[in-house]
Amino acid sequence: MNAQRNTTQLREMFWSSTDAIGGNVQRKQFSDGYEDQELFVSVFILQDKDHVLTCIYEICAYRRMGDDNVVARLGSMKALLGIVAGAGASYGIYKLVSGRAGDAGVNRKKSAKSVTIQPGSLMAKVSGFKVVSKSDNLDPSADTESSDIFSKSAASLEPRHLSMLLSLLQSSPNPEERRKVLVTLGNAAAFTVNQDLLREFGGLHIIAGFLSDPSPEIRVQTLNALNNLSMNVRNQEQLKIYVPSVMQMIEMSPVNSDLQLAALRLLTNVSVTDNHQHLMKNSITLLLSLLVVSNEVLQIQVLKVLVNLSSNPDLMDDIVQAQAPASLILLFDGCTSTSVLLRLLFFVGYLRAWRPSAQVAEALRRRQDSLYCVLLDGSSQLHRKLPLLLSHPDEEVKSQVARLLT
């Protein structure tokens, strides 16, 4: 099932809600239920020291229970993880044993901001930069007009500006300049017309090339830009080849780091449809292990990916066979964040809709470290913990628990 919504309508709606989150930073967000999906759009806008308008735009979806389920095959995951009650230990062991195994237009909100070009600034660098692509279709006077590139909002950037930014990204030896260019490209990629243009300019592979940059901050901004670009289905066809690298980045990065969060946001977009979910099926154990050691923000993002994957019946056999930490059961508790708990319940709902044959179920019971044994088997502690959640203060949590118990 595709989690799609009219892009123009979404953008019009999220601009209506704004709240200041400190300093020169503003956060504009909109959350809306749409049929059986939850859509979330968030824009963060700030001004950096060169007065460059910057934003990160995210759209994620998770499907509610009631559809068929998905699951991912573990493949050749190592057997050393076993049943580990300690969350930290299970994630640590996973990392030790797994090694490096890989697994047109829209309505725009235009803002007019006059800025001064400062010597050495990114604007000064881009000013007059020669266009490298689509020159046949561009105004020959683009070089003399490009000095206002960063005085425009992301919605009003023209094709020649995007081409200039891609040229600067490839040629600049300065890490800070590259970071600023990536931020600006990520900002522009929040708009469908720019997503298409950047693909046509070859920009997706240019930007993705910085996934291996030595600077963590540049890698984060690269992921943010790719996250916005991945909202375009045609772009996903090109970006899918980078999924193994993104999974490896999640595995090798510090827990709760900006790198892990940005990488998971990208995977959330890529996993919204069934087209490329199979590319993540060998990383279910990694996601489950991360779920029990991370903070609330990261847990939510991990669960968005898991819920998306579990909505695909073709992956269910793989998901239930994945090794899972025994401590996963501890998250089904009233002390767990409501946002995390709800997504856990949706995830379990998809898993329970799967019906294994008697032969498969018996084989899974012999693997005490499988997700099937931890959450689905008759001996699972989940059967004891779910009734306790009927007294949870949140009505939606109680409703989802009641559905699981019937």
Side-chain angles (χ1 to χ4, degrees), residues 104-105 134 162 189 191-204 229 232-235:
K134 300 271 183 177
L162 299 176
F191 299 91
T192 303
V193 63
N194 292 335
Q195 294 166 4
D196 292 332
L197 285 170
L198 286 168
R199 180 184 66 251
E200 293 166 7
F201 290 162
L204 275 63
L229 288 165
N232 184 304
V233 175
R234 293 183 65 185
N235 286 350

Side-chain angles (χ1 to χ4, degrees), residues 51-121:
H51 307 287
V52 179
L53 190 63
T54 309
C55 77
I56 298 172
Y57 169 21
E58 174 193 4
I59 177 169
C60 300
Y62 68 83
R63 308 177 182 97
R64 301 183 184 280
M65 296 188 302
D67 293 324
D68 292 333
N69 302 318
V70 234
V71 186
R73 173 170 311 235
L74 173 61
S76 60
M77 278 297 187
K78 312 300 186 291
L80 286 178
L81 178 58
I83 302 175
V84 182
S90 63
Y91 182 71
I93 293 175
Y94 170 79
K95 295 191 71 171
L96 285 172
V97 302
S98 61
R100 295 180 176 266
D103 304 21
V106 298
N107 290 346
R108 299 170 176 180
K109 191 86 170 178
K110 295 189 178 182
S111 65
K113 255 193 186 310
S114 60
V115 298
T116 303
I117 304 177
Q118 301 179 8
S121 68

Side-chain angles (χ1 to χ4, degrees), residues 176-239:
E176 179 59 16
E177 287 181 345
R178 295 198 300 272
R179 184 194 68 81
K180 289 181 180 180
V181 171
L182 286 166
V183 168
T184 306
L185 287 170
N187 185 9
F191 299 91
T192 303
V193 63
N194 292 335
Q195 294 166 4
D196 292 332
L197 285 170
L198 286 168
R199 180 184 66 251
E200 293 166 7
F201 290 162
L204 275 63
H205 296 303
I206 293 174
I207 294 171
F210 290 88
L211 287 171
S212 58
D213 193 278
S215 167
E217 179 59 25
I218 288 181
R219 295 201 299 274
V220 168
Q221 297 305 332
T222 298
L223 289 165
N224 288 338
L226 294 177
N227 174 45
N228 285 347
L229 288 165
S230 69
M231 291 186 290
N232 184 304
V233 175
R234 293 183 65 185
N235 286 350
Q236 288 188 8
E237 286 298 319
Q238 293 190 22
L239 294 176

Side-chain angles (χ1 to χ4, degrees), residues 37-52:
Q37 302 161 354
E38 177 185 288
L39 300 177
F40 180 78
V41 179
S42 183
V43 174
F44 298 87
I45 299 180
L46 57 90
Q47 270 192 301
D48 65 20
K49 63 183 180 181
D50 288 326
H51 307 287
V52 179

Side-chain angles (χ1 to χ4, degrees), residues 292-307:
V292 298
V293 298
S294 55
N295 59 24
E296 178 183 344
V297 174
L298 211 70
Q299 284 177 326
I300 290 174
Q301 211 63 50
V302 170
L303 283 165
K304 286 180 179 180
V305 178
L306 287 173
V307 169

Side-chain angles (χ1 to χ4, degrees), residues 317 354-366 372 377:
D317 287 350
W354 173 75
R355 295 289 183 267
S357 65
Q359 183 178 7
V360 171
E362 181 59 32
L364 287 171
R365 289 189 187 98
R366 291 195 291 268
Y372 178 84
D377 189 46

Side-chain angles (χ1 to χ4, degrees), residues 320-324 364 367-375:
V320 297
Q321 294 182 68
Q323 290 175 298
L364 287 171
R367 295 187 53 190
Q368 294 297 309
D369 59 352
S370 69
L371 183 63
Y372 178 84
C373 284
V374 174
L375 293 183

